[in-house]
Amino acid sequence: PVKHPRTSMSSGGRKAAAAAAAAKRNRTTGLVVGGCVIVVGMVPLLIRQFQTERMIDSEQPLTGSQVQRGPFLNTGSKDVGRDPEWDLKQGRYTGKQ
């Protein structure tokens, strides 16, 4: 009679094979999760790279939702908008210091 290879393997051999398969599965899962974390972490960098104009430098009036949350997420602030003492071209404050 011919023995089937699976049934001829000892109990210790089966455990070792199962442990090796689990280790490979864990390694693959770790690589996939790590890759996803790296991609998600790069999204803000890519957005910043392709952003043409900063919101704070905009000459356009703020929208209603921007006024509600403020340019720096100071919720409910109504005093947001252009600062007349900020020189956009030079990038410096010209008012009292």
Side-chain angles (χ1 to χ4, degrees):
V2 177
K3 291 185 177 181
H4 191 274
R6 186 174 214 173
T7 58
S8 66
M9 189 183 298
S10 69
S11 151
R14 281 193 298 268
K15 287 181 182 177
K24 184 176 181 182
R25 204 169 36 248
N26 289 341
R27 185 173 37 251
T28 302
T29 302
L31 288 173
V32 169
V33 169
C36 289
V37 167
I38 289 171
V39 168
V40 169
M42 287 178 54
V43 168
L45 297 174
L46 291 173
I47 289 172
R48 179 72 175 117
Q49 185 73 25
F50 294 111
Q51 191 177 20
T52 57
E53 182 180 329
R54 297 181 341 174
M55 184 180 90
I56 199 72
D57 292 342
S58 177
E59 292 287 340
Q60 301 171 352
L62 297 175
T63 64
S65 64
Q66 289 171 331
V67 170
Q68 286 177 351
R69 71 176 184 267
F72 301 106
L73 298 176
N74 50 350
T75 306
S77 178
K78 298 294 182 189
D79 63 346
V80 297
R82 262 184 102 244
D83 185 356
E85 296 178 346
W86 179 258
D87 185 3
L88 287 175
K89 291 184 178 37
Q90 299 291 327
R92 65 179 186 201
Y93 188 69
T94 59
K96 248 182 175 179
Q97 291 185 359

